[in-house]
Amino acid sequence: MTNLSNRGRMLKPSVTLELSALARGLQDAGRPVINLTAGEPDFPTPELVVEAAHHALREKKHFWYTPTPGVKPLREKIAQVYAQRLGVPFTFDQTVVTNGAKQALFDALAAVTDPGDRVGILTPYWVTYVEQARILGCEPVEIPCPADGGFRPDLEVLERELGRGLRVLMVNSPCNPTGAAFGRRDWEPILDLVARSQTLILSDEIYEDIVFSDEGHVSPLHVRPELADRTCVVSGLSKAFAMTGWRIGYAMGPADWIRAMSALQGHTTSNINAVTQQAALVALDHRELIGPMVEKFAARRSLVLQRLAQLPMVSAHEPEGTFYIYLDVTKPMQSRGDDTSSLARWLLEEHAVAVIPGVAFGDDTHLRLSFAASEATLNEAWDRLANAFAMAVRPAVG
Ligand code: PMP
Ligand code: GLU
């Protein structure tokens, strides 16, 4: 037995990645499982982007280390695109290209926290935030976002925790898992509280292009650009460009914060894959490729919202963004004596539908279902769910 460190013992695998691998494994073994765990688009990466990678290989742009924070044209492109999108004059030295948004989040946290620091996390949260804070020896501080308030943060708790001192507040709109996307009126009171503190903002905007509300994506920097000197924005191409496997994310922020992230990357993973960087340059020049995919997500969202009515005793907040629907399963859980893990296991084992239990997101009342699947798959999945939940709420006979 290896004598693991305290950190090594504490590390937990990503529940989302584990369950999605389990569902895929069952499918590969011939089980008729429908996998709604996946936090990834079901489309292939657009052909133009794939061709850019082929071109980079043919042009032999693949066999050197690139500069650690990314090749200059890509950093310049990111700075230009996000200066325009966010209305903040980013320059290329305020950007770093990372192995997915996940690494950007970790490096950003590592660059500004010391062990023992308190990190504010809006809850329900994406599973990785809490684990990253813990790996760094920080204390995750949950700020509840109640379902009956549309998953907006409880401002009293936020104010209290800011008063006790938070080194960083992690925010994520559109939100995985809840699908909530904050508008200007949601952000204003949150950012006014933050502005009165010393707290830094780490804004995960990876779902920025998958938004269904009329207001569109609203970043904290749209609302309070004066907070740019203490905000790091993280995004990437994984979701909107269907590029999860390419591992491309990036961050924009104050130059010293970004420099520290780049130094950390230089000692952990070096630069990201050189070919991916060339493909990313082309993707960022062709944002029109996103439109048709987002239209498909919108149609699927309508489909699952229609089908929701057929699930007895189950409700959901209408997702304003992302490709997840977050089902409140409190009543069927009570009727079966389950928690979200056992309910999810029952759905997988007895009804062949794989979903993520809310407990992974710090909330034991909901299940997260992806609608990044074909309409036929979604229809079949929701038939199975309707059947399962009808059984769950039927009174026991005898
Ligand atoms: N943030 C959120 C909220 C996510 O859902 C994901 C998906 N994995 C990531 C960050 C990380 O994205 P990437 O695949 O680019 O690392
Ligand atoms: N973000 C996705 C999800 O929540 C992908 C899995 C992961 O990176 O954890 O399912």
Side-chain angles (χ1 to χ4, degrees):
M1 276 264 280
T2 309
N3 188 11
L4 295 176
S5 62
N6 288 335
R7 186 188 303 112
R9 273 194 294 276
M10 180 198 77
L11 289 172
K12 290 197 211 121
S14 159
V15 179
T16 42
L17 289 178
E18 264 199 335
L19 284 177
S20 118
L22 173 69
R24 273 200 197 136
L26 289 170
Q27 285 173 328
D28 291 347
R31 293 271 307 276
V33 167
I34 297 184
N35 182 7
L36 303 185
T37 63
E40 55 187 341
D42 55 320
F43 311 121
T45 304
E47 199 45 47
L48 203 64
V49 180
V50 175
E51 180 44 39
H54 282 290
H55 182 73
L57 283 168
R58 284 195 300 271
E59 295 292 306
K60 303 202 175 6
K61 291 199 174 172
H62 57 279
F63 58 85
W64 291 306
Y65 292 122
T66 74
T68 300
V71 292
K72 194 168 177 206
L74 180 56
R75 295 174 76 201
E76 280 172 344
K77 175 61 67 186
I78 292 167
Q80 180 206 327
V81 167
Y82 282 85
Q84 200 192 10
R85 285 175 83 110
L86 300 178
V88 172
F90 291 119
T91 51
F92 91 95
D93 57 338
Q94 291 181 274
T95 68
V96 57
V97 184
T98 55
N99 289 281
K102 198 177 265 185
Q103 188 190 7
L105 291 165
F106 184 78
D107 291 358
L109 264 188
V112 295
T113 58
D114 287 309
D117 279 346
R118 290 158 35 92
V119 174
I121 297 178
L122 305 191
T123 308
Y125 48 73
W126 180 47
V127 54
T128 288
Y129 299 156
V130 164
E131 296 303 326
Q132 289 193 345
R134 288 204 182 111
I135 291 168
L136 292 166
C138 296
E139 182 193 339
V141 176
E142 295 184 13
I143 316 286
C145 298
D148 58 9
F151 295 111
R152 270 62 181 167
D154 180 327
L155 294 173
E156 267 176 43
V157 178
L158 177 62
E159 183 168 21
R160 193 176 64 225
E161 296 300 348
L162 284 166
R164 287 179 180 158
L166 294 177
R167 181 71 187 130
V168 191
L169 179 65
M170 297 183 79
V171 292
N172 172 222
S173 174
C175 173
N176 173 9
T178 65
F182 297 172
R184 192 167 272 275
R185 287 181 47 199
D186 300 308
W187 278 122
E188 276 166 356
I190 300 170
L191 297 175
D192 286 346
L193 290 174
V194 176
R196 276 186 246 134
S197 72
Q198 304 291 313
T199 298
L200 304 172
I201 300 174
L202 180 50
S203 181
D204 178 355
E205 303 184 21
I206 188 76
Y207 295 95
E208 61 179 309
D209 289 298
I210 307 172
V211 182
F212 312 111
S213 65
D214 293 341
E215 210 178 339
H217 175 59
V218 182
S219 163
L221 290 183
H222 287 128
V223 181
R224 292 285 179 268
E226 63 275 20
L227 292 177
D229 62 356
R230 51 169 150 138
T231 300
C232 179
V233 173
V234 167
S235 193
L237 304 180
S238 300
K239 311 291 172 173
F241 280 94
M243 290 179 72
T244 50
W246 297 70
R247 309 312 300 134
I248 160 100
Y250 37 78
M252 289 74 66
D256 52 353
W257 194 344
I258 295 293
R259 236 183 345 264
M261 292 170 66
S262 171
L264 175 57
Q265 180 159 291
H267 293 297
T268 50
T269 61
S270 306
N271 57 274
I272 82 156
N273 180 307
V275 174
T276 294
Q277 293 188 54
Q278 298 302 322
L281 250 173
V282 171
L284 283 168
D285 259 338
H286 289 278
R287 299 193 72 82
E288 76 283 357
L289 295 170
I290 298 175
M293 295 193 268
V294 175
E295 270 171 35
K296 287 216 173 95
F297 288 135
R300 292 156 176 198
R301 169 183 178 271
S302 303
L303 171 73
V304 298
L305 284 173
Q306 266 167 28
R307 303 266 345 225
L308 182 63
Q310 295 163 356
L311 303 189
M313 291 209 243
V314 174
S315 58
H317 173 74
E318 288 196 6
E320 296 128 1
T322 75
F323 38 66
Y324 307 110
I325 184 160
Y326 201 48
L327 299 185
D328 182 344
V329 288
T330 318
K331 289 182 186 156
M333 253 171 27
Q334 275 164 357
S335 137
R336 283 182 42 84
D338 267 322
D339 55 22
T340 57
S341 294
S342 55
L343 192 73
R345 202 164 46 244
W346 171 72
L347 284 173
L348 179 58
E349 285 169 2
E350 307 281 324
H351 300 276
V353 183
V355 303
I356 307 279
V359 69
F361 311 114
D363 153 48
D364 210 7
T365 57
H366 287 67
L367 299 176
R368 190 194 78 178
L369 282 64
S370 161
F371 51 86
S374 71
E375 297 196 359
T377 304
L378 288 173
N379 271 319
E380 172 62 25
W382 284 69
D383 285 348
R384 293 183 193 183
L385 291 170
N387 181 31
F389 284 111
M391 284 168 65
V393 298
R394 200 175 296 145
V397 189

Coordinates of all heavy atoms in Angstrom, one line a residue, residues 39 99-103 105 126 129 172 176 204 206-207 238-239 244 247-249 324, ligand 1:
G39 N -21.5 15.8 -20.0 CA -21.4 17.2 -20.1 C -20.7 17.7 -21.3 O -19.8 18.5 -21.3
N99 N -5.1 23.8 -20.8 CA -5.7 22.5 -21.2 C -7.1 22.4 -20.7 O -7.4 21.8 -19.7 CB -4.9 21.4 -20.6 CG -3.5 21.3 -21.2 OD1 -3.4 20.7 -22.3 ND2 -2.5 21.9 -20.6
G100 N -8.0 23.0 -21.4 CA -9.4 23.1 -21.0 C -9.6 24.2 -20.0 O -8.7 24.7 -19.4
A101 N -10.9 24.5 -19.9 CA -11.3 25.5 -18.9 C -11.0 25.0 -17.5 O -10.7 25.8 -16.6 CB -12.8 25.9 -19.0
K102 N -11.0 23.7 -17.3 CA -10.7 23.1 -16.0 C -9.3 23.5 -15.5 O -9.2 23.9 -14.3 CB -10.8 21.6 -16.1 CG -11.0 20.9 -14.8 CD -11.2 19.4 -15.1 CE -12.6 19.0 -15.2 NZ -12.8 17.5 -15.3
Q103 N -8.3 23.5 -16.4 CA -7.0 23.9 -15.9 C -6.9 25.4 -15.6 O -6.3 25.8 -14.7 CB -5.9 23.5 -16.9 CG -4.5 23.7 -16.3 CD -3.4 23.6 -17.3 OE1 -3.6 23.5 -18.5 NE2 -2.2 23.6 -16.8
L105 N -9.3 27.2 -14.4 CA -9.9 27.4 -13.1 C -8.9 27.1 -12.0 O -8.7 27.8 -11.0 CB -11.1 26.6 -13.0 CG -12.3 27.0 -13.8 CD1 -13.4 25.9 -13.9 CD2 -12.9 28.3 -13.3
W126 N -20.7 23.3 -9.8 CA -20.0 22.3 -10.6 C -19.0 21.5 -9.8 O -18.2 22.2 -9.1 CB -19.4 22.8 -11.9 CG -18.7 21.8 -12.7 CD1 -19.2 20.6 -13.1 CD2 -17.4 21.8 -13.3 NE1 -18.4 19.9 -13.9 CE2 -17.2 20.7 -14.0 CE3 -16.4 22.8 -13.2 CZ2 -16.0 20.4 -14.6 CZ3 -15.2 22.5 -13.9 CH2 -15.0 21.3 -14.6
Y129 N -15.3 22.6 -8.6 CA -14.9 23.8 -7.8 C -14.4 23.5 -6.4 O -13.4 23.9 -5.9 CB -16.0 24.8 -7.7 CG -16.5 25.4 -9.0 CD1 -17.8 25.9 -9.1 CD2 -15.7 25.4 -10.2 CE1 -18.3 26.4 -10.3 CE2 -16.2 25.9 -11.4 CZ -17.5 26.4 -11.4 OH -18.0 26.9 -12.6
N172 N -20.6 31.2 -11.9 CA -20.7 30.4 -13.1 C -22.1 30.6 -13.7 O -23.1 30.0 -13.3 CB -20.5 28.9 -12.7 CG -20.8 27.9 -13.8 OD1 -21.4 26.8 -13.6 ND2 -20.4 28.2 -15.0
N176 N -23.7 25.2 -14.7 CA -23.8 23.8 -14.6 C -23.8 23.5 -13.1 O -22.8 23.8 -12.5 CB -22.5 23.2 -15.3 CG -22.4 21.7 -15.2 OD1 -23.3 21.1 -14.7 ND2 -21.2 21.2 -15.6
D204 N -16.5 31.7 -14.3 CA -16.5 30.6 -15.3 C -17.6 30.8 -16.3 O -18.8 30.6 -15.9 CB -16.6 29.2 -14.5 CG -16.6 28.0 -15.4 OD1 -16.6 28.2 -16.6 OD2 -16.7 26.9 -14.8
I206 N -17.9 29.2 -19.4 CA -17.7 28.2 -20.4 C -19.0 28.0 -21.2 O -18.9 27.6 -22.4 CB -17.1 26.9 -19.8 CG1 -16.7 25.9 -20.9 CG2 -18.1 26.3 -18.9 CD1 -15.5 26.1 -21.6
Y207 N -20.1 28.3 -20.6 CA -21.4 28.1 -21.4 C -21.9 29.4 -22.0 O -23.1 29.5 -22.3 CB -22.5 27.4 -20.5 CG -22.1 26.0 -20.1 CD1 -21.5 25.8 -18.9 CD2 -22.3 24.9 -20.9 CE1 -21.1 24.5 -18.5 CE2 -22.0 23.6 -20.5 CZ -21.4 23.4 -19.3 OH -21.0 22.2 -18.9
S238 N -14.6 24.1 -25.5 CA -15.1 22.8 -25.3 C -16.6 22.6 -25.6 O -17.0 21.7 -26.3 CB -14.9 22.3 -23.9 OG -13.6 22.3 -23.6
K239 N -17.4 23.5 -25.1 CA -18.9 23.4 -25.2 C -19.4 23.9 -26.5 O -20.1 23.2 -27.3 CB -19.6 24.0 -24.0 CG -18.9 23.7 -22.7 CD -19.2 22.3 -22.3 CE -18.3 21.9 -21.0 NZ -18.6 20.6 -20.5
T244 N -14.5 19.2 -26.7 CA -14.1 18.7 -25.3 C -12.8 17.9 -25.4 O -12.0 18.1 -24.5 CB -15.2 17.9 -24.7 OG1 -15.6 16.9 -25.6 CG2 -16.4 18.7 -24.3
R247 N -9.0 19.7 -25.6 CA -8.5 20.3 -24.4 C -8.0 21.7 -24.7 O -6.8 22.0 -24.8 CB -7.4 19.5 -23.8 CG -7.7 18.0 -23.5 CD -9.1 17.8 -22.8 NE -9.2 18.4 -21.5 CZ -10.2 19.2 -21.2 NH1 -11.3 19.4 -22.0 NH2 -10.2 19.7 -20.0
I248 N -8.9 22.6 -24.9 CA -8.6 24.0 -25.1 C -9.5 24.9 -24.2 O -10.7 24.9 -24.4 CB -8.6 24.4 -26.6 CG1 -8.8 26.0 -26.7 CG2 -9.8 23.8 -27.4 CD1 -7.5 26.6 -27.0
G249 N -8.9 25.6 -23.3 CA -9.6 26.6 -22.5 C -8.7 27.9 -22.5 O -7.6 27.8 -23.0
Y324 N -28.3 21.4 -19.8 CA -28.7 20.5 -18.7 C -30.1 21.0 -18.3 O -30.4 22.2 -18.3 CB -27.8 20.7 -17.5 CG -26.3 20.4 -17.9 CD1 -25.4 21.5 -17.8 CD2 -25.9 19.2 -18.2 CE1 -24.1 21.3 -18.1 CE2 -24.5 19.0 -18.5 CZ -23.6 20.0 -18.5 OH -22.3 19.8 -18.7
Ligands
PMP1 N1 -16.7 24.7 -16.0 C1 -17.8 24.0 -16.1 C2 -19.0 24.6 -15.4 C3 -18.0 22.9 -16.9 O1 -19.2 22.3 -16.9 C4 -16.9 22.3 -17.5 C5 -17.0 21.0 -18.3 N2 -16.1 20.1 -18.1 C6 -15.6 23.0 -17.4 C7 -15.6 24.2 -16.6 C8 -14.4 22.5 -18.0 O2 -14.4 22.5 -19.3 P1 -13.1 21.9 -20.2 O3 -13.6 20.7 -20.8 O4 -12.8 23.0 -21.2 O5 -12.0 21.7 -19.2

